[in-house]
Amino acid sequence: MNASLRGRHANCKSTAADYAAVNAGDVKLRASMTDARIVNGPSLNGLTFAIKKPGFYRYVPQKLMNTFRFTKNPLKLSYGRKREDKRTVVDGALVFDSGSQVSASYMIGTRNCKLKYSYLHGGVTTLEPCYDLGKNVWGFAISRRLYDNVFKATYHTWSKNLALEWLRNHVFNGTFKMSASVNLAEESKDPKFIAETTWELEM
């Protein structure tokens, strides 16, 4: 039997434990707190419990996937239908080599079309410019892996939002994530900080 525990802290709200889940055979027990503040004393606001059996309620999405050859390069295509709004989405990715590919996502019947180019440099640094045809705007992301750490920066031109992220994934100590973001279009430019950590336990 295994369990997972996640904690979350932000500069506008503190959360002692966002959720705790225990897997007991084919049944999952989960407790979550949506507003567990610890700054002015502990509280258990929004405490909920749930019992879930995977596969008891099953939804099979309508999605088809296939891979073709385009000028000797693999072209991966997927065709899926969203259950929420009953719209069809076509995704594609053209792989040039192990570190370079172009991907696209298009929702049929709308102007929602996004293009992204991903380039892996030196096996540790990833550059990802993206373009939204519907909004006619750009976005940029750069990430670098250093041992168990991943550092990432993203910027979206339409929202003027700059975000920095540090993710550490350790086999024994679990996962730690710290992020900061600031909206450059706002006059105050107050940064937002979030720290999250997850522990996986064997019982």
Side-chain angles (χ1 to χ4, degrees):
M1 186 168 62
N2 58 73
S4 61
L5 177 66
R6 185 176 70 182
R8 187 174 187 269
H9 176 82
N11 58 342
C12 56
K13 178 185 289 188
S14 297
T15 304
D18 190 40
Y19 77 82
V22 178
N23 294 327
D26 59 348
V27 176
K28 178 179 288 187
L29 310 176
R30 177 172 175 143
S32 62
M33 288 176 285
T34 58
D35 189 21
R37 297 174 180 271
I38 60 175
V39 176
N40 298 319
S43 67
L44 297 178
N45 296 332
L47 177 62
T48 60
F49 295 93
I51 300 177
K52 181 180 179 182
K53 183 176 181 180
F56 188 77
Y57 296 101
R58 188 177 182 184
Y59 167 69
V60 180
Q62 301 175 3
K63 189 170 185 179
L64 302 174
M65 294 180 290
N66 208 338
T67 302
F68 305 90
R69 286 287 173 179
F70 180 76
T71 62
K72 298 183 179 180
N73 295 315
L75 175 61
K76 302 177 182 179
L77 293 177
S78 65
Y79 170 95
R81 187 169 178 83
K82 288 181 176 287
R83 180 177 58 173
E84 298 82 3
D85 50 18
K86 297 182 180 180
R87 291 186 175 181
T88 302
V89 178
V90 178
D91 297 312
L94 180 60
V95 181
F96 297 105
D97 51 48
S98 59
S100 179
Q101 74 172 26
V102 174
S103 59
S105 178
Y106 173 62
M107 182 176 289
I108 296 177
T110 69
R111 293 176 56 86
N112 190 346
C113 183
K114 298 180 177 66
L115 299 174
K116 184 173 70 173
Y117 175 69
S118 179
Y119 172 68
L120 180 62
H121 177 72
V124 293
T125 304
T126 302
L127 304 174
E128 292 181 320
C130 62
Y131 179 66
D132 191 321
L133 277 72
K135 298 179 181 179
N136 192 27
V137 290
W138 286 88
F140 303 91
I142 180 172
S143 61
R144 183 176 178 85
R145 178 177 296 276
L146 182 62
Y147 301 107
D148 296 329
N149 305 280
V150 176
F151 302 93
K152 185 176 183 179
T154 59
Y155 177 71
H156 297 119
T157 58
W158 63 90
S159 62
K160 307 296 183 183
N161 192 68
L162 175 64
L164 303 175
E165 179 181 295
W166 170 32
L167 175 65
R168 180 178 177 83
N169 192 353
H170 197 275
V171 177
F172 302 103
N173 298 331
T175 301
F176 174 79
K177 178 181 177 181
M178 179 175 289
S179 58
S181 62
V182 60
N183 193 319
L184 301 179
E186 296 179 351
E187 293 184 2
S188 60
K189 295 183 175 56
D190 294 328
K192 298 178 181 179
F193 299 96
I194 297 177
E196 297 179 67
T197 183
T198 303
W199 297 273
E200 300 292 339
L201 307 173
E202 292 288 340
M203 296 184 295

